[in-house]
Amino acid sequence: MALPTPSRLRVLLDALNAGLLEREAAVRLMLLTALAGAHVLLLGPPGTAKSELARRLQRAFADAPWFERLLTRFSTPEELFGPLSLKALEEDRYERLTAGFLPTAGVAFLDEVYKANSAILNALLTLLHERVFDNGSGRVPVPLVCVVGASNEGPADEALQAFHDRFLVRVPVAPVGDERFADLLRLDAGCVSVTQPLTAAERDTVARAAAGVALGDDLLAACAALRTRLAADGQPLSDRRWRQWMDLLRTAAATEGRSSTDALDLWTAPYVAAAGPAQVPALQAWVDAEIAQAVPQDAPWLTRAVEAFEMQLQVEQMAPADGADDSAGKLALARSIGGAEGDGGMLRIVSATLEDQLRRRWSPVHVQARLDQIDQIAAQASTARGDVAAQAQVLATRIAGRLWLPPGLAARWQAAHAHTLAVLDALLARLAVTRAGFAAQPQDDTLPAVTPAAVDVGP
């Protein structure tokens, strides 16, 4: 059986995402998690399409029976695992009739998972992790592909942490944002059509391919750095969780046609390493800065330099001619004349001549010193711009063809570089205008060749 191609998986993802808003990341994470043989938890308020996402995931797999239950503290094991077999009881055997219940499901959705009682949670621990169900005196394998859990909030009881840890991927699901609110109101509730669901044989092929994917050195280094950070924050991951996470990344690489993982695969960190939704933004920021190196920069050092040179140019342009006590007033008068109405052409000529006479002259050495310092700053800024442009190109090349990377995340990374480039371009343009202003300063070769003190551009 051939490995599902990225193009086919992309068509499948598009079908699962059809008619949903701002759920690209959730759809990708759910399908990837299921292919990796793990389970996913959706965390968010009611009415955010958690159950719809789970039902759509089931349609992605052929021969994967569906099971769904809303759990409460009054839920009984019979509701999930099936009623007791009366015939077995007559023969002194404690067995359940599991047909149509969770032990025979392929994809299951358990809503409000943390409200279940301990009897149910204890049975679920083994079923989720080992894919077996203890039925009477025997242990029966289950055909479970993935369990999708849902909750309005994370576990409040420390006793639930072991169960919480069984969900490898935890996806916060928020209401649609204000920018897409109008689209939400106009949204048509169409039927999801999946024409080529993944078969069990294809899932096995994916698993075998993933087992052969190597873990890249840069990924291992990034994982070590993240492990240190999580430990410092008091949120360490279990060894089991780290290993399952690597299986998830191997699955992503295999289905994208890569023979090894790399550090960019850690875009999944906020959904695997975060203890809860509150920790997600900090981990997203870590991935943006340390892994993608795509954080928008405003170049404050260059801004300070540009503003310092602009101010210095203004000071030198307003400086009165040497030995003229009332030059500043005459210069202001000349500029006022230049803006007068009436016979404006003649007045402007007169004012321009008068202003030129009243402006201070500078030695060529002075002017050249200013130009040299500006050129030095411009060279540094141009080098910085080149580095950012190169980083943007490298990132664009690396994320090209990434099937599982959410488009919104890729766009945010690229927008970060675009922002930085736009800031640098604008500041370089201002610096060029300022340089032209210094170059246009009136010069006098007879003045002392004194090099002025450098403009203070800050640290």
Side-chain angles (χ1 to χ4, degrees), residues 24-25 28 405-415:
E24 295 90 351
R28 281 165 166 74
L405 183 69
L409 178 57
R412 191 175 81 234
W413 287 348
Q414 292 172 319

Side-chain angles (χ1 to χ4, degrees), residues 42 83 179 235 314 404 408:
L42 302 178
E179 293 182 357
Q235 302 288 345
Q314 185 178 10
W404 305 106

